[in-house]
Amino acid sequence: MNERALLRRIRVWLVVFIVCLVLSGLTAFPLVTELRWAEDLLNAPASPAPEHLPALTEWIGRVRTGLDEADADHPFVLYGTDWLAFAHLVIAVAFYGPYRDPVRNIWVIEFGMIACAGIIPLALICGQIRDIPFWWTVIDMSFGVFGVIPLLVVRRMIKRLEAATAVESSPAPR
């Protein structure tokens, strides 16, 4: 594969990753509304969730109640999720560096890989402290597992691009 095609593939993977980060961030702003919708959907007359996924239905109801109470009585608590959303958006912006110059900014990809790995202990430790059901902790950890996959692919392609660029820029033998 030539360098131009490799660069294009790197950029496509990065755009997908950036879009996912942005969407993840944007969905952290309207949590109260989203949980109302989720609970309404799970408890709809045609929904099989209450019968087949009672733990999920109960958990979403519990979280919705907590968010409703926080929103009504202590809305400043939800300010923390606004910062969570903002962090996702800022991290997404950081990935513009590798988009522009993947070889020089490979450290951003590696930073992202470290962050994905950090999700696992955070979810395991804080999930237990915050009384999060283990099955939900597994869902949270999946963001790290699935997030690192495109970063591993991109890192491998950047290393190939770096090697191809080094061969091209090395002086010709005499």
Side-chain angles (χ1 to χ4, degrees):
M1 177 180 307
N2 70 24
E3 292 172 37
R4 179 172 277 160
L6 192 55
L7 181 60
R8 188 170 34 255
R9 286 186 64 203
I10 290 168
R11 287 180 170 165
V12 166
W13 278 93
L14 285 170
V15 165
V16 169
F17 191 79
I18 290 167
V19 166
C20 288
L21 273 171
V22 168
L23 290 174
S24 181
L26 292 177
T27 60
F29 284 113
L31 283 180
V32 174
T33 301
E34 290 171 342
L35 260 292
R36 286 180 188 151
W37 291 348
E39 188 179 38
D40 290 347
L41 188 64
L42 288 173
N43 291 316
S47 173
E51 181 182 343
H52 298 291
L53 301 168
L56 175 64
T57 305
E58 182 183 327
W59 174 247
I60 294 299
R62 181 177 174 206
V63 173
R64 180 194 170 179
T65 299
L67 284 175
D68 282 345
E69 289 173 6
D71 191 36
D73 300 333
H74 310 288
F76 54 86
V77 172
L78 296 177
Y79 188 52
T81 62
D82 297 336
W83 280 102
L84 169 72
F86 178 71
H88 278 80
L89 300 176
V90 169
I91 293 167
V93 170
F95 281 88
Y96 181 65
Y99 181 88
R100 285 186 47 219
D101 188 345
V103 173
R104 192 172 93 194
N105 293 301
I106 193 170
W107 69 270
V108 176
I109 304 302
E110 292 165 345
F111 163 81
M113 293 167 63
I114 292 166
C116 286
I119 291 172
I120 307 297
L122 177 84
L124 287 170
I125 294 165
C126 294
Q128 177 126 13
I129 292 169
R130 303 289 183 210
D131 197 27
I132 306 298
F134 182 73
W135 57 269
W136 193 266
T137 301
V138 171
I139 291 170
D140 288 340
M141 290 187 298
S142 74
F143 284 92
V145 173
F146 291 117
V148 79
I149 292 170
L151 296 178
L152 286 166
V153 170
V154 167
R155 186 180 185 285
R156 188 182 69 217
M157 287 190 292
I158 291 172
K159 288 295 189 180
R160 286 176 44 205
L161 180 63
E162 180 180 37
T165 305
V167 167
E168 183 180 287
S169 64
S170 63
R174 293 178 192 215

